[in-house]
Amino acid sequence: MRTRVVIQSRLNSSRLPGKAMLDVGGMPLVELVARRAARSGHEVVVATSVERYDDRIAAHLTARGVEVVRGSLDDVLGRFVTATRSLDPGDRVVRLTGDNPVADADLVDELLAAMDASGHRYGRVDIDRVPEGLGAEAFTVDDLRRADREAVDGYDREHVTPWLRRTLGELLFVPSRSPGDVLAHRATVDTLGDYVRVCDLFERVDDPVGVAWADLMDALAARVDAAGPRTPHVSTAVGVVSRVVPSSRRFTERPAGTGPAVWAEGLRSLVGDAVDLGVTHLDTGPGDVELLRVSTDPALTRRAAVVARVAPAGDTALALEAAVERVLAGLGRRGPVVLVVDRMPSGPAWRRARAYVDEGVATALGVVAHDAAAVASAARTPEVTWVEVHLPAPDADATGSLEVLHDRGAVLAQPWRRGDAVRSWATCLLVQEPSGDAVRAAVAAFTAATTP
């Protein structure tokens, strides 16, 4: 039985165009991925598109002895069929992507051994439990050809394996030396920051092709540990939420003497550093949402969910809808977001807010509470799962309501600035100062407040 590794790659990446040909470890990224996958003797083919800009990938790899096939830009499934045409039905295919240079032949072999032991016909590295950058999938040629015959949906053909997962079931595999923190040990090349990080990893080794993926991840873990504490996480009704959530509400307050380009780069670094610290959500308000979009890398805001605070001009469904649509337009997308209304709406306005959840635009609903009465109102409304709590001092009248919200898994966000005490009820600290130092101070404050 033969095994062929097929690596999909293209130059027109929307987040980091041309990344396939960027230098990593002394060679273009896609070549490094191919050589690391072939290290133990597996057959390797790179499947790229027939678009003119991908001529560079094909010409470079062909000149260096790496087999290349070409096909439709959007029909990636079709490219895989072409890349495996010479194989028998019982042979195996491993799918890798050209932006994951840490993955290697050892990872492939471990996945295949796990499939052999389990009897599964389809298996993949579980990206919910394994850092991004170690993805790999395996299946038979026969099943790939079945998918090609039966999968007609554009999504299935672009992403290659959804039909296989739905039809065959799946082995969700975690490699034996995978790091524990999925967010901290991200090792793909999706943004410029990712590229710098991965380049640094490979520059520190003597043999970029031969070094084992697990050794690279150990080195990455050591760097993460040396950078200091990361924000802890908690499971809530909204999902996993970091204990520190940066806010962009003061992004518009550009310091005197700071030019727009310098300010934008500072904000981009702030968001990037926050995500690397384990931040899962970014908070934004009506006046700064567009600035968040234009001043940060889209891939960064894609990695962190957006908490969008809206301020309707009135308590009507139309007013709420207008406010929400302005925020979504500023984000440049229709969701999904955690939708937080600046006061508890009633009647038609609240029904419209709930409709955004039904439509998939909002993943959760929240409100801002400035007093005990508002906290109590939120506690009486089961759909509310995010509450930004503005209580000037500990309030006995609000204690019961806070307990109700806590018990149902709602996020209780405490607006925080350096020097503030961490409230005992706080799920997360909402950091409104546009400073990486402030985010790190909040992480330290939360860690100190919760350490026995």
Side-chain angles (χ1 to χ4, degrees):
M1 180 172 58
R2 294 160 67 185
T3 295
R4 181 169 296 172
V5 179
V6 181
I7 301 165
Q8 65 187 71
S9 181
R10 58 187 172 89
L11 275 180
N12 72 332
S13 168
S14 59
R15 290 177 291 276
L16 188 58
K19 65 183 178 183
M21 296 301 292
L22 293 177
D23 186 277
V24 180
M27 66 192 76
L29 172 61
V30 64
E31 181 184 351
L32 179 61
V33 175
R35 295 200 181 285
R36 287 176 57 75
R39 195 175 63 219
S40 64
H42 292 309
E43 302 173 28
V44 171
V45 176
V46 173
T48 191
S49 88
V50 293
E51 302 298 321
R52 287 187 61 187
Y53 46 73
D54 284 331
D55 290 351
R56 288 196 61 206
I57 292 177
H60 175 84
L61 293 177
T62 300
R64 282 156 179 76
V66 178
E67 185 177 351
V68 177
V69 300
R70 304 184 71 174
S72 166
L73 177 66
D74 299 321
D75 185 9
V76 188
L77 174 56
R79 282 192 246 159
F80 272 69
V81 173
T82 301
T84 56
R85 190 161 287 158
S86 62
L87 296 180
D88 293 332
D91 291 334
R92 296 186 295 198
V93 186
V94 175
R95 179 192 180 208
L96 298 179
T97 58
D99 53 3
N100 290 343
V102 173
D104 66 357
D106 295 347
L107 183 70
V108 168
D109 290 340
E110 194 174 346
L111 171 60
L112 293 175
M115 289 183 64
D116 290 342
S118 70
H120 282 81
R121 288 160 54 190
Y122 170 85
R124 66 180 174 92
V125 172
D126 187 352
I127 57 174
D128 291 328
R129 294 185 290 162
V130 177
E132 191 173 0
L134 295 176
E137 300 172 90
F139 39 89
T140 67
V141 172
D142 185 42
D143 287 325
L144 175 66
R145 292 170 181 168
R146 284 182 58 204
D148 182 49
R149 292 191 299 270
E150 300 184 27
V152 296
D153 183 79
Y155 180 87
D156 287 347
R157 301 201 69 85
E158 179 184 357
H159 296 281
V160 184
T161 58
W163 185 92
L164 293 171
R165 294 197 295 271
R166 293 195 305 269
T167 305
L168 304 178
E170 58 186 349
L171 168 68
L172 294 175
F173 170 67
V174 177
S176 59
R177 288 178 61 187
S178 176
D181 192 325
V182 173
L183 295 175
H185 302 113
R186 172 182 168 87
T188 191
V189 178
D190 196 37
T191 70
L192 184 58
D194 291 336
Y195 172 65
V196 172
R197 187 185 211 189
V198 167
C199 280
D200 185 62
L201 273 182
F202 281 95
E203 285 173 357
R204 294 168 184 259
V205 299
D206 295 329
D207 182 1
V209 173
V211 62
W213 73 267
D215 292 338
L216 287 169
M217 295 305 289
D218 286 346
L220 178 59
R223 289 181 56 197
V224 170
D225 291 343
R230 289 170 45 81
T231 180
H233 300 93
V234 62
S235 295
T236 73
V238 178
V240 175
V241 175
S242 54
R243 295 289 201 174
V244 172
V245 174
S247 172
S248 66
R249 295 181 204 171
R250 289 181 58 193
F251 277 15
T252 55
E253 300 176 15
R254 177 158 51 97
T258 303
V262 172
W263 183 231
E265 181 57 35
L267 298 180
R268 192 175 297 113
S269 297
L270 166 61
V271 174
D273 290 346
V275 171
D276 286 343
L277 281 171
V279 162
T280 60
H281 290 70
L282 299 171
D283 169 81
T284 191
D288 53 278
V289 60
E290 186 169 356
L291 183 57
L292 173 68
R293 175 176 62 85
V294 301
S295 66
T296 58
D297 190 318
L300 291 174
T301 52
R302 186 175 62 89
R303 287 167 57 192
V306 174
V307 180
R309 179 172 172 177
V310 297
D315 199 17
T316 67
L318 185 60
L320 178 77
E321 185 169 334
V324 172
E325 295 300 327
R326 281 195 298 272
V327 167
L328 295 176
L331 283 172
R333 70 188 200 201
R334 283 199 56 76
V337 299
V338 177
L339 186 60
V340 178
V341 187
D342 71 342
R343 63 182 182 280
M344 192 74 190
S346 61
W350 188 244
R351 287 194 293 272
R352 183 66 190 100
R354 289 184 296 184
Y356 276 114
V357 175
D358 296 336
E359 296 164 6
V361 174
T363 55
L365 295 178
V367 297
V368 180
H370 289 276
D371 53 35
V375 176
S377 179
R380 292 193 299 269
T381 310
E383 299 92 343
V384 171
T385 52
W386 186 291
V387 184
E388 183 180 318
V389 185
H390 292 256
L391 293 178
D395 192 327
D397 293 336
T399 300
S401 299
L402 291 170
E403 290 176 353
V404 169
L405 289 162
H406 177 271
D407 290 345
R408 73 166 177 244
V411 174
L412 300 174
Q414 176 194 344
W416 185 89
R417 296 194 183 190
R418 280 186 272 197
D420 290 351
V422 179
R423 301 292 179 83
S424 60
W425 45 258
T427 303
C428 64
L429 301 181
L430 195 62
V431 180
Q432 300 184 56
E433 181 182 341
S435 158
D437 289 343
V439 173
R440 291 184 180 277
V443 171
F446 211 111
T447 302
T450 56
T451 301

